[in-house]
Amino acid sequence: MAAPMQSFYIIRFSDCDPFGHLNNARYIDYMLNAREDHLRDGYKLTNSDFAKQGIGWVTTRNEIQYLRPAFYNERVCIQTALIGVGETELLVEMIMYDETRQQLKALLWGTFTHINIKTGRREMHTAEMMQFLNGAKFEQFDISLSFKDRLASVLDQLKENSNNTGIS
């Protein structure tokens, strides 16, 4: 069973609105960039490695909940994990926290569909790929939870953590 990976990013001026808040569309960019970094750093894999094999994944669905703004020049923590594996799809959870992981900024579930790059059509994962993906999957929580239930679970965990450390 794999563990979620995390890394830190600074919110850039060019990604913010006139009020200094990270633009909503840019949350997804930061999270996808973090996932790409995590694949490179954790598994030594890049999108170009897959492209050389004639395969890739395209985003087919994003479900995101924005909870708190990320501000210009703020350092944020982004955690990603593969949480679901299907014959042709992957479900990846991406969470943006403040630097100390005490405030949840946004939760994203991204669905990615496996495609053949030459045809642009959906393609089933090979048995070898399924074995790798299932080994990389994070299974610490019940994937049958809805997005809304998972959000509540993350918020409850943050609240419990702050109660245990005396942080309010």
Side-chain angles (χ1 to χ4, degrees), residues 11-12 15-17 20-28 30 66 69-72 76 96:
I11 303 301
R12 302 292 177 205
D15 299 326
C16 293
D17 64 22
H21 304 126
L22 181 62
N23 180 291
N24 284 2
R26 298 294 289 150
Y27 279 80
I28 295 171
Y30 275 75
Y66 303 98
F71 295 100
Y72 164 64
V76 296
M96 182 185 290

Short mmCIF file of all heavy atoms in Angstrom, two decimals, residues 11-12 15-17 20-28 30 66 69-72 76 96:
data_model
loop_
_atom_site.label_atom_id
_atom_site.label_comp_id
_atom_site.label_asym_id
_atom_site.label_seq_id
_atom_site.Cartn_x
_atom_site.Cartn_y
_atom_site.Cartn_z
N ILE A 11 2.63 30.42 -3.82
CA ILE A 11 1.61 30.97 -4.71
C ILE A 11 2.20 32.19 -5.43
O ILE A 11 2.67 33.12 -4.78
CB ILE A 11 0.33 31.35 -3.93
CG1 ILE A 11 -0.23 30.14 -3.17
CG2 ILE A 11 -0.71 31.97 -4.87
CD1 ILE A 11 -0.59 28.94 -4.02
N ARG A 12 2.16 32.17 -6.73
CA ARG A 12 2.77 33.21 -7.56
C ARG A 12 1.78 34.34 -7.86
O ARG A 12 0.58 34.12 -8.00
CB ARG A 12 3.26 32.61 -8.89
CG ARG A 12 4.25 31.49 -8.71
CD ARG A 12 5.54 32.01 -8.14
NE ARG A 12 6.46 30.90 -7.91
CZ ARG A 12 7.43 30.95 -7.03
NH1 ARG A 12 7.63 32.03 -6.31
NH2 ARG A 12 8.23 29.93 -6.87
N ASP A 15 -0.70 34.14 -10.75
CA ASP A 15 -1.78 33.16 -10.60
C ASP A 15 -2.92 33.69 -9.73
O ASP A 15 -3.89 32.96 -9.47
CB ASP A 15 -1.24 31.87 -9.98
CG ASP A 15 -0.18 31.22 -10.84
OD1 ASP A 15 -0.30 31.32 -12.09
OD2 ASP A 15 0.76 30.63 -10.30
N CYS A 16 -2.82 34.93 -9.30
CA CYS A 16 -3.78 35.49 -8.35
C CYS A 16 -4.72 36.51 -9.01
O CYS A 16 -4.40 37.11 -10.04
CB CYS A 16 -3.05 36.17 -7.20
SG CYS A 16 -2.14 34.99 -6.17
N ASP A 17 -5.86 36.70 -8.38
CA ASP A 17 -6.81 37.72 -8.81
C ASP A 17 -6.39 39.07 -8.21
O ASP A 17 -5.42 39.14 -7.46
CB ASP A 17 -8.25 37.32 -8.42
CG ASP A 17 -8.47 37.22 -6.91
OD1 ASP A 17 -7.71 37.83 -6.12
OD2 ASP A 17 -9.43 36.54 -6.51
N GLY A 20 -5.45 39.29 -4.51
CA GLY A 20 -4.33 38.51 -4.00
C GLY A 20 -4.69 37.07 -3.67
O GLY A 20 -3.90 36.37 -3.04
N HIS A 21 -5.87 36.62 -4.11
CA HIS A 21 -6.28 35.22 -3.90
C HIS A 21 -5.89 34.39 -5.12
O HIS A 21 -6.02 34.86 -6.25
CB HIS A 21 -7.80 35.10 -3.73
CG HIS A 21 -8.37 35.92 -2.66
ND1 HIS A 21 -9.41 36.80 -2.88
CD2 HIS A 21 -8.09 36.01 -1.34
CE1 HIS A 21 -9.74 37.40 -1.75
NE2 HIS A 21 -8.94 36.94 -0.81
N LEU A 22 -5.49 33.16 -4.89
CA LEU A 22 -5.22 32.26 -6.01
C LEU A 22 -6.50 32.09 -6.83
O LEU A 22 -7.57 31.81 -6.27
CB LEU A 22 -4.75 30.90 -5.48
CG LEU A 22 -4.39 29.85 -6.52
CD1 LEU A 22 -3.23 30.32 -7.40
CD2 LEU A 22 -4.04 28.53 -5.83
N ASN A 23 -6.40 32.30 -8.13
CA ASN A 23 -7.55 32.14 -9.03
C ASN A 23 -8.04 30.69 -8.94
O ASN A 23 -7.24 29.76 -8.91
CB ASN A 23 -7.11 32.47 -10.45
CG ASN A 23 -8.21 32.33 -11.46
OD1 ASN A 23 -8.67 31.23 -11.74
ND2 ASN A 23 -8.64 33.45 -12.00
N ASN A 24 -9.37 30.51 -8.92
CA ASN A 24 -9.94 29.17 -8.74
C ASN A 24 -9.42 28.16 -9.75
O ASN A 24 -9.15 27.01 -9.40
CB ASN A 24 -11.47 29.23 -8.80
CG ASN A 24 -12.07 29.77 -7.52
OD1 ASN A 24 -11.36 30.14 -6.59
ND2 ASN A 24 -13.38 29.84 -7.48
N ALA A 25 -9.29 28.54 -11.00
CA ALA A 25 -8.81 27.61 -12.02
C ALA A 25 -7.36 27.20 -11.76
O ALA A 25 -6.95 26.09 -12.10
CB ALA A 25 -8.93 28.23 -13.40
N ARG A 26 -6.61 28.07 -11.14
CA ARG A 26 -5.18 27.78 -10.90
C ARG A 26 -4.97 26.77 -9.77
O ARG A 26 -3.92 26.13 -9.72
CB ARG A 26 -4.42 29.08 -10.61
CG ARG A 26 -4.45 30.07 -11.77
CD ARG A 26 -3.72 29.59 -13.01
NE ARG A 26 -2.30 29.60 -12.72
CZ ARG A 26 -1.42 28.78 -13.24
NH1 ARG A 26 -1.78 27.88 -14.10
NH2 ARG A 26 -0.15 28.86 -12.92
N TYR A 27 -5.95 26.60 -8.87
CA TYR A 27 -5.84 25.54 -7.86
C TYR A 27 -5.60 24.20 -8.55
O TYR A 27 -4.75 23.41 -8.14
CB TYR A 27 -7.12 25.43 -7.03
CG TYR A 27 -7.28 26.41 -5.91
CD1 TYR A 27 -7.70 27.71 -6.15
CD2 TYR A 27 -7.04 26.03 -4.59
CE1 TYR A 27 -7.87 28.61 -5.12
CE2 TYR A 27 -7.21 26.93 -3.55
CZ TYR A 27 -7.63 28.22 -3.82
OH TYR A 27 -7.80 29.11 -2.80
N ILE A 28 -6.38 23.95 -9.60
CA ILE A 28 -6.26 22.68 -10.32
C ILE A 28 -4.88 22.56 -10.95
O ILE A 28 -4.25 21.50 -10.87
CB ILE A 28 -7.39 22.55 -11.36
CG1 ILE A 28 -8.75 22.48 -10.64
CG2 ILE A 28 -7.18 21.31 -12.24
CD1 ILE A 28 -9.96 22.57 -11.56
N TYR A 30 -2.04 23.95 -9.94
CA TYR A 30 -1.06 23.68 -8.87
C TYR A 30 -1.14 22.21 -8.45
O TYR A 30 -0.11 21.56 -8.23
CB TYR A 30 -1.30 24.59 -7.66
CG TYR A 30 -0.63 25.95 -7.77
CD1 TYR A 30 -1.13 26.94 -8.59
CD2 TYR A 30 0.51 26.24 -7.03
CE1 TYR A 30 -0.54 28.19 -8.68
CE2 TYR A 30 1.13 27.48 -7.12
CZ TYR A 30 0.60 28.45 -7.95
OH TYR A 30 1.21 29.68 -8.04
N TYR A 66 -13.58 24.30 -2.81
CA TYR A 66 -12.70 25.36 -2.32
C TYR A 66 -13.18 25.72 -0.92
O TYR A 66 -14.35 26.01 -0.72
CB TYR A 66 -12.79 26.60 -3.21
CG TYR A 66 -12.47 26.32 -4.66
CD1 TYR A 66 -13.48 26.11 -5.59
CD2 TYR A 66 -11.16 26.26 -5.10
CE1 TYR A 66 -13.20 25.87 -6.93
CE2 TYR A 66 -10.86 26.02 -6.44
CZ TYR A 66 -11.89 25.81 -7.34
OH TYR A 66 -11.60 25.57 -8.66
N PRO A 69 -9.10 30.62 0.94
CA PRO A 69 -8.25 31.15 -0.14
C PRO A 69 -6.77 30.86 0.11
O PRO A 69 -6.32 30.80 1.26
CB PRO A 69 -8.53 32.65 -0.09
CG PRO A 69 -9.05 32.93 1.27
CD PRO A 69 -9.72 31.68 1.73
N ALA A 70 -6.07 30.67 -0.96
CA ALA A 70 -4.61 30.65 -0.93
C ALA A 70 -4.18 32.03 -1.41
O ALA A 70 -4.72 32.54 -2.40
CB ALA A 70 -4.07 29.56 -1.84
N PHE A 71 -3.25 32.63 -0.73
CA PHE A 71 -2.87 34.01 -1.00
C PHE A 71 -1.53 34.12 -1.70
O PHE A 71 -0.66 33.25 -1.57
CB PHE A 71 -2.81 34.81 0.31
CG PHE A 71 -4.14 34.95 0.99
CD1 PHE A 71 -4.47 34.14 2.06
CD2 PHE A 71 -5.07 35.88 0.54
CE1 PHE A 71 -5.70 34.25 2.69
CE2 PHE A 71 -6.30 36.00 1.16
CZ PHE A 71 -6.62 35.18 2.24
N TYR A 72 -1.36 35.24 -2.40
CA TYR A 72 -0.10 35.54 -3.05
C TYR A 72 1.05 35.38 -2.07
O TYR A 72 1.00 35.84 -0.94
CB TYR A 72 -0.13 36.98 -3.62
CG TYR A 72 1.24 37.51 -3.96
CD1 TYR A 72 2.01 36.91 -4.95
CD2 TYR A 72 1.79 38.58 -3.26
CE1 TYR A 72 3.27 37.38 -5.24
CE2 TYR A 72 3.05 39.05 -3.55
CZ TYR A 72 3.80 38.44 -4.54
OH TYR A 72 5.06 38.90 -4.82
N VAL A 76 2.16 26.74 0.41
CA VAL A 76 1.11 25.75 0.64
C VAL A 76 1.69 24.35 0.50
O VAL A 76 2.72 24.14 -0.16
CB VAL A 76 -0.07 25.92 -0.34
CG1 VAL A 76 -0.78 27.25 -0.12
CG2 VAL A 76 0.35 25.74 -1.79
N MET A 96 -4.97 20.57 -1.00
CA MET A 96 -4.11 21.73 -0.73
C MET A 96 -4.38 22.19 0.70
O MET A 96 -5.53 22.45 1.06
CB MET A 96 -4.38 22.88 -1.70
CG MET A 96 -3.44 24.08 -1.46
SD MET A 96 -3.80 25.53 -2.50
CE MET A 96 -3.29 24.94 -4.11
#
